Amino acid sequence: MRLSARSIAFGVAFALGVTLLPTAATATPGAPSPDGSWSVTPVHGGYRVTLHLDRELEARDALPEIAVNGRSVGYAQQSPDGRTLTVTTTDRTAAEASSVQVAWNGTVPGSTTGTTSAKATPKPHASRTSPPVDPAAPGPYGIDRADYDFGDTALKLSGLGDRVVEERAAVWVPKNAPGPRPVVIFLHGRHSACYDPVAKKTDNTHWPCADGYQPIPSHRGYDKSAEVLASRGYVVVSISANGINAQDNPYSDDAGTLARGQLVLDHLDLLAQANDGRAPGMSPLLKGRLDLKDVGLMGHSRGGEGVVKAALLNAALPRPYGIKAVLPLAPIDFGRETLPDVPMAVILPYCDGDVSNLQGQHFYEDTRYAHTSDGVLRSSLLVMGADHNFFNTEWTPGVAVAPASDDWSSQSDATCGTNSPTSIRLTAAEQYQVGIDYVAGFFRLVMGHETGLAPMFDGSTGTEISVGAATVYQESQAPTGDRLDLAPLRGPASNVEFSPAEAGRFCASMSGRSPQSGLPSCTMSTSTGRFPSFTPANYGGNVTATPLLHLSWTAPTSMSVDLPRSRSNVKKYAALTLRAALDDAGVSADLRITVVDGAGRTQSTTVSGLGDALTSFPGSGTLLPKTWLRTIRWPVAEMTGVKVNDLRQVVISTATPTGGVFLSDLAFQDSGVGEGGPSELPQVSIVGTTVNEGDGPGTATVTLRLSETSKVPVTASVQTLAGTGTQVATGAQQVVIEPGRREVAVRIPVNGDTVPAATTDTVYKVFVVDPTDAVVGQNFAHLTVHDDDPAT
């Protein structure tokens, strides 16, 4: 056994699973429910809600929540055996509990609360095309295998409290490919770790596996993608993370994200040793064959946030590896960490029943303007008809060696259920092929510079594209050097005017989650699964999410945007672009876009004439339809009625009598990928503290600290979580570190009293999230409140 060189010490955390618990009769606070399945106990100004399950929660990637009377009151801490969930809350609903259940992404499974009328399936627009290059076509090279396995207890990861995990990977090496080859690493997500091949049972509470159980080979679920890339000259390494999956519940503070990032870097260290011929037990096929200055990472589900974390940890190293591309596939994003300076594509499955709120959208939203000199492509892609699991064959019933399931649990659902004649669902084989296309296509584009694959990611052929059997909708942002931002539409700007003046209403987040932003919520719905851009992150639930323009009208309304006089020549750009979606009312609407040149000549088109961004997605209920902005493109080559070397203004006006839309990111863009690499921005970390409770309102001071001073202001948000007690309230505040400063103190309100507590020290978690002009270093810390009231 060896200790991972990337380890940093941490404590206790949350875990995951899925089940639907029966509703029990009303219990008074301090007493259990009549059937004993749950209890509500008054504690130190709040309530502790405990739910006992009749079996271990099934492993899944979303975090479990506890719902009281059908409404979520917070994320649950799970016991090591996976059969007890606990949350501490100040929500007075707990005092009148008539039911306590498991919830996921704010929704109790089977709940119909917040249902809406069914929406029609969007009709494919005439401009929809297929990629001009087959992304999954085999290349010229044969394939050798160089798998390695150093056992189930080979590594210790401090992100798991120094618990042991395996060091195991499947490796594909191109035969006879000249010189060192680019390297792509795959990291699977959170699935059960072990299975009994005889009884066909799974287990996720023991590592190493209990007697009679075997590790589930989740890392072998992407074999076909690996084969395509290897035949194209890439060395592909798919690593096993079962030890993390089985232990991230009781032994990590961040649901295993840090441990997953450490695991990726540990394998890169091992590969570097193998490349130098210094790694006993590694295949000689790897010696001198690895170009670790050219590395790509793909992570599925929790592996998606894991590879983002790996890229951030890597950027902090004195001699970082050359991570040039990151592909989060159906990812979670618990911490809202940004990843500037590295090309990134986020793949979101429309019928995801696990990470049903598509929270990985925040990787795209938060990173768009996280660095003013960010010179790389990023995109977000919505794959219609895809679920969460079927990108991995080992998570797919009928082909997996262990028990597996379709995560979209309602098979009778009219939109995503497999038993409905109106369903848009892909078959398992169709979805797996789409996964191959996008995994192979992304790395071939970014690392292999095969520009024929760009339409799959940059929207250059329209708002949607056909990839295999799937319709894929697109959002994209070109590198800064290939883009002229006219109006990000995140707030008022000097070059933007509205008529009437009060028509421009900027908004952010949902359900009143971020009052500190000073903006109204974009929707007051509590159905977080329907709003990927606004859904609250697990460790940043009150941090401002996706400020944009909400334009609603009952009379003619317009917005004019002036171009900088020095940037009036837009001839070099491919298209005028704008992200757009109907608001949550879902009422039919359209807009007119007009360009005006220096001589006053104009030319107009409509959003509906450019694509179907202002149509509703299909479905009804608490998870569907999704509200998701699509990028529309008006090619500059089609602006023949004006002088594109002297454009002065863009006007967006209403084209229907009434309507409501969300708008963002008005820009001129060209196609480009940019040269990515580890970010050189400073890392911002949070440092905790311990304070006495006191006898009334007080404060605790935590610290935000930069790894080096910045020449520009660094902004970040600090989120406190009150899941373990009631002395500190859940909330967020934005903090600025001024140029030339290394740190800033952040005051957290603490509510003390004179009542002795049952626990002397209560530990709260504090996170730093969503930084601008910096990247996250140490993203969480402990705020410990010491009860200083003497026992009576």
PDB file of all heavy atoms in Angstrom, residues 505-531:
ATOM      1  N   ARG A 505     -35.584  43.489 -17.424  1.00  0.00           N
ATOM      2  CA  ARG A 505     -35.626  42.940 -16.059  1.00  0.00           C
ATOM      3  C   ARG A 505     -34.612  41.802 -15.958  1.00  0.00           C
ATOM      4  O   ARG A 505     -34.796  40.754 -16.563  1.00  0.00           O
ATOM      5  CB  ARG A 505     -37.038  42.431 -15.748  1.00  0.00           C
ATOM      6  CG  ARG A 505     -37.192  41.797 -14.369  1.00  0.00           C
ATOM      7  CD  ARG A 505     -38.655  41.381 -14.166  1.00  0.00           C
ATOM      8  NE  ARG A 505     -38.864  40.725 -12.882  1.00  0.00           N
ATOM      9  CZ  ARG A 505     -38.814  39.402 -12.710  1.00  0.00           C
ATOM     10  NH1 ARG A 505     -38.535  38.607 -13.726  1.00  0.00           N
ATOM     11  NH2 ARG A 505     -39.026  38.891 -11.511  1.00  0.00           N
ATOM     12  N   PHE A 506     -33.556  42.055 -15.216  1.00  0.00           N
ATOM     13  CA  PHE A 506     -32.556  41.015 -15.026  1.00  0.00           C
ATOM     14  C   PHE A 506     -32.943  40.163 -13.819  1.00  0.00           C
ATOM     15  O   PHE A 506     -33.532  40.642 -12.847  1.00  0.00           O
ATOM     16  CB  PHE A 506     -31.167  41.633 -14.848  1.00  0.00           C
ATOM     17  CG  PHE A 506     -30.679  42.308 -16.097  1.00  0.00           C
ATOM     18  CD1 PHE A 506     -30.866  43.672 -16.291  1.00  0.00           C
ATOM     19  CD2 PHE A 506     -30.062  41.576 -17.092  1.00  0.00           C
ATOM     20  CE1 PHE A 506     -30.434  44.292 -17.447  1.00  0.00           C
ATOM     21  CE2 PHE A 506     -29.631  42.194 -18.260  1.00  0.00           C
ATOM     22  CZ  PHE A 506     -29.818  43.551 -18.436  1.00  0.00           C
ATOM     23  N   CYS A 507     -32.593  38.887 -13.893  1.00  0.00           N
ATOM     24  CA  CYS A 507     -32.971  37.952 -12.835  1.00  0.00           C
ATOM     25  C   CYS A 507     -31.858  36.943 -12.636  1.00  0.00           C
ATOM     26  O   CYS A 507     -30.896  36.888 -13.409  1.00  0.00           O
ATOM     27  CB  CYS A 507     -34.285  37.233 -13.191  1.00  0.00           C
ATOM     28  SG  CYS A 507     -34.170  36.148 -14.645  1.00  0.00           S
ATOM     29  N   ALA A 508     -31.989  36.141 -11.580  1.00  0.00           N
ATOM     30  CA  ALA A 508     -31.008  35.085 -11.297  1.00  0.00           C
ATOM     31  C   ALA A 508     -31.638  34.051 -10.374  1.00  0.00           C
ATOM     32  O   ALA A 508     -32.551  34.363  -9.600  1.00  0.00           O
ATOM     33  CB  ALA A 508     -29.752  35.664 -10.646  1.00  0.00           C
ATOM     34  N   SER A 509     -31.159  32.836 -10.458  1.00  0.00           N
ATOM     35  CA  SER A 509     -31.528  31.772  -9.518  1.00  0.00           C
ATOM     36  C   SER A 509     -33.028  31.479  -9.569  1.00  0.00           C
ATOM     37  O   SER A 509     -33.729  31.881 -10.491  1.00  0.00           O
ATOM     38  CB  SER A 509     -31.075  32.129  -8.108  1.00  0.00           C
ATOM     39  OG  SER A 509     -29.704  32.460  -8.092  1.00  0.00           O
ATOM     40  N   MET A 510     -33.501  30.750  -8.555  1.00  0.00           N
ATOM     41  CA  MET A 510     -34.906  30.363  -8.500  1.00  0.00           C
ATOM     42  C   MET A 510     -35.387  30.320  -7.061  1.00  0.00           C
ATOM     43  O   MET A 510     -34.597  30.217  -6.120  1.00  0.00           O
ATOM     44  CB  MET A 510     -35.104  28.988  -9.155  1.00  0.00           C
ATOM     45  CG  MET A 510     -34.411  27.831  -8.470  1.00  0.00           C
ATOM     46  SD  MET A 510     -34.590  26.264  -9.366  1.00  0.00           S
ATOM     47  CE  MET A 510     -36.368  26.059  -9.388  1.00  0.00           C
ATOM     48  N   SER A 511     -36.691  30.457  -6.892  1.00  0.00           N
ATOM     49  CA  SER A 511     -37.365  30.251  -5.603  1.00  0.00           C
ATOM     50  C   SER A 511     -36.811  31.117  -4.479  1.00  0.00           C
ATOM     51  O   SER A 511     -36.773  30.689  -3.326  1.00  0.00           O
ATOM     52  CB  SER A 511     -37.279  28.776  -5.198  1.00  0.00           C
ATOM     53  OG  SER A 511     -37.725  27.946  -6.234  1.00  0.00           O
ATOM     54  N   GLY A 512     -36.357  32.334  -4.791  1.00  0.00           N
ATOM     55  CA  GLY A 512     -35.835  33.215  -3.754  1.00  0.00           C
ATOM     56  C   GLY A 512     -34.554  32.733  -3.120  1.00  0.00           C
ATOM     57  O   GLY A 512     -34.243  33.109  -1.979  1.00  0.00           O
ATOM     58  N   ARG A 513     -33.755  31.942  -3.836  1.00  0.00           N
ATOM     59  CA  ARG A 513     -32.566  31.312  -3.253  1.00  0.00           C
ATOM     60  C   ARG A 513     -31.410  32.274  -3.033  1.00  0.00           C
ATOM     61  O   ARG A 513     -30.557  32.016  -2.197  1.00  0.00           O
ATOM     62  CB  ARG A 513     -32.099  30.165  -4.166  1.00  0.00           C
ATOM     63  CG  ARG A 513     -33.009  28.968  -4.183  1.00  0.00           C
ATOM     64  CD  ARG A 513     -32.679  28.042  -3.033  1.00  0.00           C
ATOM     65  NE  ARG A 513     -33.377  26.773  -3.141  1.00  0.00           N
ATOM     66  CZ  ARG A 513     -33.007  25.670  -2.506  1.00  0.00           C
ATOM     67  NH1 ARG A 513     -31.950  25.698  -1.726  1.00  0.00           N
ATOM     68  NH2 ARG A 513     -33.686  24.552  -2.636  1.00  0.00           N
ATOM     69  N   SER A 514     -31.319  33.356  -3.802  1.00  0.00           N
ATOM     70  CA  SER A 514     -30.117  34.204  -3.701  1.00  0.00           C
ATOM     71  C   SER A 514     -30.499  35.674  -3.539  1.00  0.00           C
ATOM     72  O   SER A 514     -30.241  36.490  -4.424  1.00  0.00           O
ATOM     73  CB  SER A 514     -29.222  34.024  -4.929  1.00  0.00           C
ATOM     74  OG  SER A 514     -29.908  34.395  -6.116  1.00  0.00           O
ATOM     75  N   PRO A 515     -31.102  36.022  -2.411  1.00  0.00           N
ATOM     76  CA  PRO A 515     -31.492  37.425  -2.212  1.00  0.00           C
ATOM     77  C   PRO A 515     -30.308  38.374  -2.196  1.00  0.00           C
ATOM     78  O   PRO A 515     -30.457  39.561  -2.500  1.00  0.00           O
ATOM     79  CB  PRO A 515     -32.206  37.396  -0.855  1.00  0.00           C
ATOM     80  CG  PRO A 515     -31.664  36.182  -0.155  1.00  0.00           C
ATOM     81  CD  PRO A 515     -31.441  35.179  -1.247  1.00  0.00           C
ATOM     82  N   GLN A 516     -29.117  37.874  -1.821  1.00  0.00           N
ATOM     83  CA  GLN A 516     -27.946  38.752  -1.760  1.00  0.00           C
ATOM     84  C   GLN A 516     -27.541  39.256  -3.136  1.00  0.00           C
ATOM     85  O   GLN A 516     -26.778  40.215  -3.248  1.00  0.00           O
ATOM     86  CB  GLN A 516     -26.765  38.016  -1.097  1.00  0.00           C
ATOM     87  CG  GLN A 516     -26.027  37.027  -1.978  1.00  0.00           C
ATOM     88  CD  GLN A 516     -26.789  35.723  -2.180  1.00  0.00           C
ATOM     89  OE1 GLN A 516     -27.783  35.473  -1.520  1.00  0.00           O
ATOM     90  NE2 GLN A 516     -26.322  34.900  -3.082  1.00  0.00           N
ATOM     91  N   SER A 517     -28.053  38.647  -4.218  1.00  0.00           N
ATOM     92  CA  SER A 517     -27.709  39.096  -5.561  1.00  0.00           C
ATOM     93  C   SER A 517     -28.358  40.436  -5.894  1.00  0.00           C
ATOM     94  O   SER A 517     -27.903  41.147  -6.796  1.00  0.00           O
ATOM     95  CB  SER A 517     -28.162  38.058  -6.598  1.00  0.00           C
ATOM     96  OG  SER A 517     -29.581  38.033  -6.709  1.00  0.00           O
ATOM     97  N   GLY A 518     -29.445  40.778  -5.171  1.00  0.00           N
ATOM     98  CA  GLY A 518     -30.172  41.995  -5.483  1.00  0.00           C
ATOM     99  C   GLY A 518     -31.081  41.860  -6.684  1.00  0.00           C
ATOM    100  O   GLY A 518     -31.723  42.834  -7.101  1.00  0.00           O
ATOM    101  N   LEU A 519     -31.159  40.659  -7.258  1.00  0.00           N
ATOM    102  CA  LEU A 519     -31.985  40.410  -8.438  1.00  0.00           C
ATOM    103  C   LEU A 519     -33.177  39.542  -8.063  1.00  0.00           C
ATOM    104  O   LEU A 519     -33.076  38.681  -7.185  1.00  0.00           O
ATOM    105  CB  LEU A 519     -31.170  39.692  -9.521  1.00  0.00           C
ATOM    106  CG  LEU A 519     -29.972  40.450 -10.100  1.00  0.00           C
ATOM    107  CD1 LEU A 519     -29.192  39.548 -11.046  1.00  0.00           C
ATOM    108  CD2 LEU A 519     -30.434  41.709 -10.828  1.00  0.00           C
ATOM    109  N   PRO A 520     -34.307  39.726  -8.731  1.00  0.00           N
ATOM    110  CA  PRO A 520     -35.418  38.811  -8.510  1.00  0.00           C
ATOM    111  C   PRO A 520     -35.086  37.428  -9.057  1.00  0.00           C
ATOM    112  O   PRO A 520     -34.191  37.269  -9.894  1.00  0.00           O
ATOM    113  CB  PRO A 520     -36.565  39.456  -9.300  1.00  0.00           C
ATOM    114  CG  PRO A 520     -35.880  40.249 -10.370  1.00  0.00           C
ATOM    115  CD  PRO A 520     -34.607  40.746  -9.750  1.00  0.00           C
ATOM    116  N   SER A 521     -35.805  36.420  -8.594  1.00  0.00           N
ATOM    117  CA  SER A 521     -35.596  35.065  -9.104  1.00  0.00           C
ATOM    118  C   SER A 521     -36.129  34.962 -10.536  1.00  0.00           C
ATOM    119  O   SER A 521     -37.138  35.590 -10.881  1.00  0.00           O
ATOM    120  CB  SER A 521     -36.312  34.049  -8.216  1.00  0.00           C
ATOM    121  OG  SER A 521     -35.729  34.002  -6.932  1.00  0.00           O
ATOM    122  N   CYS A 522     -35.468  34.155 -11.344  1.00  0.00           N
ATOM    123  CA  CYS A 522     -35.936  33.944 -12.720  1.00  0.00           C
ATOM    124  C   CYS A 522     -37.215  33.114 -12.748  1.00  0.00           C
ATOM    125  O   CYS A 522     -37.990  33.190 -13.701  1.00  0.00           O
ATOM    126  CB  CYS A 522     -34.843  33.267 -13.547  1.00  0.00           C
ATOM    127  SG  CYS A 522     -33.396  34.312 -13.838  1.00  0.00           S
ATOM    128  N   THR A 523     -37.413  32.285 -11.735  1.00  0.00           N
ATOM    129  CA  THR A 523     -38.652  31.534 -11.583  1.00  0.00           C
ATOM    130  C   THR A 523     -38.860  31.299 -10.100  1.00  0.00           C
ATOM    131  O   THR A 523     -37.903  31.106  -9.359  1.00  0.00           O
ATOM    132  CB  THR A 523     -38.618  30.187 -12.328  1.00  0.00           C
ATOM    133  OG1 THR A 523     -39.806  29.445 -12.023  1.00  0.00           O
ATOM    134  CG2 THR A 523     -37.409  29.348 -11.920  1.00  0.00           C
ATOM    135  N   MET A 524     -40.111  31.306  -9.672  1.00  0.00           N
ATOM    136  CA  MET A 524     -40.418  30.989  -8.279  1.00  0.00           C
ATOM    137  C   MET A 524     -40.806  29.534  -8.119  1.00  0.00           C
ATOM    138  O   MET A 524     -41.201  29.102  -7.041  1.00  0.00           O
ATOM    139  CB  MET A 524     -41.538  31.900  -7.763  1.00  0.00           C
ATOM    140  CG  MET A 524     -41.108  33.346  -7.603  1.00  0.00           C
ATOM    141  SD  MET A 524     -39.588  33.573  -6.615  1.00  0.00           S
ATOM    142  CE  MET A 524     -40.127  32.949  -5.021  1.00  0.00           C
ATOM    143  N   SER A 525     -40.701  28.761  -9.168  1.00  0.00           N
ATOM    144  CA  SER A 525     -40.987  27.332  -9.079  1.00  0.00           C
ATOM    145  C   SER A 525     -40.019  26.665  -8.110  1.00  0.00           C
ATOM    146  O   SER A 525     -38.860  27.066  -7.985  1.00  0.00           O
ATOM    147  CB  SER A 525     -40.855  26.686 -10.461  1.00  0.00           C
ATOM    148  OG  SER A 525     -40.927  25.278 -10.378  1.00  0.00           O
ATOM    149  N   THR A 526     -40.486  25.647  -7.413  1.00  0.00           N
ATOM    150  CA  THR A 526     -39.613  24.837  -6.560  1.00  0.00           C
ATOM    151  C   THR A 526     -39.215  23.535  -7.239  1.00  0.00           C
ATOM    152  O   THR A 526     -38.543  22.704  -6.638  1.00  0.00           O
ATOM    153  CB  THR A 526     -40.312  24.514  -5.233  1.00  0.00           C
ATOM    154  OG1 THR A 526     -41.546  23.837  -5.492  1.00  0.00           O
ATOM    155  CG2 THR A 526     -40.590  25.788  -4.449  1.00  0.00           C
ATOM    156  N   SER A 527     -39.617  23.348  -8.500  1.00  0.00           N
ATOM    157  CA  SER A 527     -39.264  22.139  -9.250  1.00  0.00           C
ATOM    158  C   SER A 527     -37.872  22.308  -9.837  1.00  0.00           C
ATOM    159  O   SER A 527     -37.705  22.669 -11.016  1.00  0.00           O
ATOM    160  CB  SER A 527     -40.292  21.877 -10.354  1.00  0.00           C
ATOM    161  OG  SER A 527     -41.565  21.632  -9.823  1.00  0.00           O
ATOM    162  N   THR A 528     -36.862  22.085  -9.012  1.00  0.00           N
ATOM    163  CA  THR A 528     -35.482  22.359  -9.431  1.00  0.00           C
ATOM    164  C   THR A 528     -35.076  21.513 -10.632  1.00  0.00           C
ATOM    165  O   THR A 528     -34.182  21.905 -11.382  1.00  0.00           O
ATOM    166  CB  THR A 528     -34.504  22.099  -8.276  1.00  0.00           C
ATOM    167  OG1 THR A 528     -34.605  20.737  -7.869  1.00  0.00           O
ATOM    168  CG2 THR A 528     -34.814  23.007  -7.101  1.00  0.00           C
ATOM    169  N   GLY A 529     -35.705  20.361 -10.818  1.00  0.00           N
ATOM    170  CA  GLY A 529     -35.341  19.508 -11.932  1.00  0.00           C
ATOM    171  C   GLY A 529     -35.639  20.113 -13.280  1.00  0.00           C
ATOM    172  O   GLY A 529     -35.089  19.660 -14.290  1.00  0.00           O
ATOM    173  N   ARG A 530     -36.457  21.133 -13.333  1.00  0.00           N
ATOM    174  CA  ARG A 530     -36.860  21.695 -14.626  1.00  0.00           C
ATOM    175  C   ARG A 530     -35.988  22.859 -15.071  1.00  0.00           C
ATOM    176  O   ARG A 530     -36.164  23.354 -16.184  1.00  0.00           O
ATOM    177  CB  ARG A 530     -38.327  22.133 -14.557  1.00  0.00           C
ATOM    178  CG  ARG A 530     -39.308  20.967 -14.439  1.00  0.00           C
ATOM    179  CD  ARG A 530     -40.739  21.443 -14.418  1.00  0.00           C
ATOM    180  NE  ARG A 530     -40.990  22.373 -15.495  1.00  0.00           N
ATOM    181  CZ  ARG A 530     -41.901  23.341 -15.455  1.00  0.00           C
ATOM    182  NH1 ARG A 530     -42.627  23.518 -14.375  1.00  0.00           N
ATOM    183  NH2 ARG A 530     -42.074  24.138 -16.493  1.00  0.00           N
ATOM    184  N   PHE A 531     -35.063  23.323 -14.229  1.00  0.00           N
ATOM    185  CA  PHE A 531     -34.323  24.556 -14.538  1.00  0.00           C
ATOM    186  C   PHE A 531     -32.826  24.353 -14.319  1.00  0.00           C
ATOM    187  O   PHE A 531     -32.263  24.829 -13.326  1.00  0.00           O
ATOM    188  CB  PHE A 531     -34.848  25.702 -13.678  1.00  0.00           C
ATOM    189  CG  PHE A 531     -36.315  25.972 -13.860  1.00  0.00           C
ATOM    190  CD1 PHE A 531     -37.252  25.408 -13.008  1.00  0.00           C
ATOM    191  CD2 PHE A 531     -36.750  26.756 -14.902  1.00  0.00           C
ATOM    192  CE1 PHE A 531     -38.606  25.637 -13.172  1.00  0.00           C
ATOM    193  CE2 PHE A 531     -38.112  27.004 -15.091  1.00  0.00           C
ATOM    194  CZ  PHE A 531     -39.045  26.443 -14.225  1.00  0.00           C
TER     195      PHE A 531
END
